Amino acid sequence: MSPSLFVVVVPFLNLVLLARGQKTEPLSGLTDQTLFRGADRYDFAIMVSPGGTECFWQFAHQSGYFYFNYEVQRTMGLLHGRHITATAHTPKGFLIDKSQDIRGQINFSTKETGFYQLCLSNQHNHFATVQVYLNFGVFYEGADMANNQKNEERQKLNDTLDAIEESTRKVQMNIFHMWRYYNFARMRKGSDFFILQSNYNYVNWWSTAQSIVIVLSGILQLYFLKRLFNAPQVTDTKKPRC
């Protein structure tokens, strides 16, 4: 290799390594445009089969805040264990946190850009299907990524507009957290409704069964009591013995 070519190649390699080590944001281009990232937040209910596992992927930029709330609303099957295992993994597959309960939260800061994996495992219940309500997503403190870049480019706004913009961001963030707490309360309300409905059906079935048993017991007692007072018919050839 000639000395002039070596002088050109070495600085180029240094620039590439420096660019790779600073951020984990994906490169902009055709791949960035065709990649479907989805929404920033979701809330829905899902059925997890006995012994089954359901996984989801949520895209997040680095320097964000990820939240994951879940609650088991009801069970359907032979057993009624309501515990479930929830896990969160990094885009590279490393475990971030784990929760094993009827309801729980997994919150963490995103250290890298990519698709984070969320999984629900129903390994505790091999004979019952569970319905789980999920509420997860990612948010960024202050303005979002696009607004942060625009704010860095424009530095000519006056103090009044800056104050209005800051107040608007705070109001939006407070509304977002209120929405999170509302969804969490809705999860609890749905779970309480299904528990109340299950108890109502349980009481009705047992009341019906006990009523049938009581009626049958009365009929049997009346039948045997009546047989005690049945006197045999006396004839010349058939007389009761002393």
Side-chain angles (χ1 to χ4, degrees), residues 194-213:
F194 286 118
I195 292 176
L196 181 63
Q197 189 178 30
S198 177
N199 293 336
Y200 175 77
N201 294 332
Y202 175 81
V203 171
N204 285 341
W205 278 106
W206 271 107
S207 298
T208 304
Q210 290 177 356
S211 299
I212 294 174
V213 170

Side-chain angles (χ1 to χ4, degrees), residues 134-162:
L134 303 177
N135 178 24
F136 61 89
V138 61
F139 66 92
Y140 308 92
E141 291 293 342
D144 33 72
M145 304 292 291
N147 290 334
N148 283 334
Q149 294 177 358
K150 293 180 181 179
N151 290 335
E152 292 176 357
E153 295 175 358
R154 51 177 185 170
Q155 298 293 335
K156 298 181 181 180
L157 295 176
N158 55 37
D159 296 339
T160 304
L161 292 179
D162 288 339

Side-chain angles (χ1 to χ4, degrees), residues 60-172:
H61 293 279
Q62 64 181 18
S63 303
Y65 190 78
F66 202 103
Y67 65 92
F68 176 34
N69 305 327
Y70 71 93
E71 177 161 357
V72 178
Q73 292 185 318
R74 61 172 174 172
T75 60
M76 292 172 288
L78 298 178
L79 302 179
H80 294 282
R82 300 180 61 204
H83 285 72
I84 199 166
T85 302
T87 56
H89 297 80
T90 65
K92 295 181 180 179
F94 296 105
L95 179 65
I96 299 176
D97 200 356
K98 183 178 182 180
S99 177
Q100 292 180 329
D101 208 340
I102 298 174
R103 66 184 61 90
Q105 299 183 19
I106 298 178
N107 303 321
F108 56 90
S109 299
T110 56
K111 303 299 183 182
E112 55 184 326
T113 299
F115 287 90
Y116 289 79
Q117 185 182 26
L118 309 173
C119 290
L120 295 174
S121 177
N122 191 22
Q123 299 296 331
H124 299 286
N125 301 320
H126 294 280
F127 301 99
T129 300
V130 296
Q131 177 176 323
V132 187
Y133 188 88
L134 303 177
N135 178 24
F136 61 89
V138 61
F139 66 92
Y140 308 92
E141 291 293 342
D144 33 72
M145 304 292 291
N147 290 334
N148 283 334
Q149 294 177 358
K150 293 180 181 179
N151 290 335
E152 292 176 357
E153 295 175 358
R154 51 177 185 170
Q155 298 293 335
K156 298 181 181 180
L157 295 176
N158 55 37
D159 296 339
T160 304
L161 292 179
D162 288 339
I164 294 175
E165 188 175 8
E166 183 67 23
S167 300
T168 304
R169 284 200 301 265
K170 290 181 179 179
V171 171
Q172 290 177 346

Side-chain angles (χ1 to χ4, degrees), residues 224-241:
F224 287 110
L225 185 63
K226 186 177 179 181
R227 289 194 59 180
L228 292 176
F229 293 97
N230 286 338
Q233 187 177 3
V234 179
T235 60
D236 294 336
T237 57
K238 185 179 180 182
K239 297 181 179 180
R241 297 180 179 179

